[in-house]
Amino acid sequence: MIVDHDGNQRPWSIVVVRWGKTVLGYLNRCPHNGVNLDWERNEFLDPYGVRLMCGKHGSTFELGTGRCVEGPCKGRALTPIALTVLDGDICVVGVRLVEDDTPFDE
Ligand code: FES
């Protein structure tokens, strides 16, 4: 959950990518217009399984950097979420508790 400026809680969806021994996290929000990336429930990868993909307009993102390499938000990037692995559990590190008001493209 995340707390907005009015103090209301709402779901806070992140994407966790396991890449070998590396674990990466991104906010589940497309930089194009702010929708969740999953094109079907819990489906985040492109048909080749090599990039994250937004289901709305098909932008694709590098797994290791979150940078959009193709689609309407090319050159922008997913918001990284700091993660660490402690005793085999994936933990979120240093979460900002207030929602970002950054506007999105129309
Ligand atoms: S909303 Fe993700 S590419 Fe348009």
Side-chain angles (χ1 to χ4, degrees):
M1 302 298 279
I2 191 169
V3 179
D4 66 20
H5 291 290
D6 296 326
N8 300 313
Q9 293 184 357
R10 63 179 189 81
W12 186 66
S13 179
I14 66 171
V15 180
V16 176
V17 177
R18 275 189 180 266
W19 192 5
K21 292 183 178 181
T22 303
V23 178
L24 302 162
Y26 300 105
L27 192 62
N28 184 13
R29 185 170 60 182
C30 181
H32 182 218
N33 74 3
V35 300
N36 285 359
L37 296 172
D38 27 335
W39 45 275
E40 285 190 24
R41 186 169 174 79
N42 297 323
E43 296 290 340
F44 294 93
L45 297 177
D46 70 1
Y48 309 103
V50 296
R51 293 180 185 157
L52 293 168
M53 184 175 82
C54 175
K56 188 160 186 180
H57 303 117
S59 286
T60 56
F61 304 86
E62 293 177 330
L63 291 175
T65 65
R67 188 173 64 91
C68 180
V69 293
E70 190 173 331
C73 54
K74 186 174 182 178
R76 297 177 71 183
L78 300 173
T79 301
I81 304 294
L83 301 176
T84 190
V85 179
L86 297 173
D87 294 331
D89 293 328
I90 299 171
C91 303
V92 177
V93 177
V95 177
R96 185 173 62 193
L97 296 176
V98 177
E99 182 179 15
D100 187 353
D101 284 339
T102 305
F104 294 97
D105 296 345
E106 294 296 322

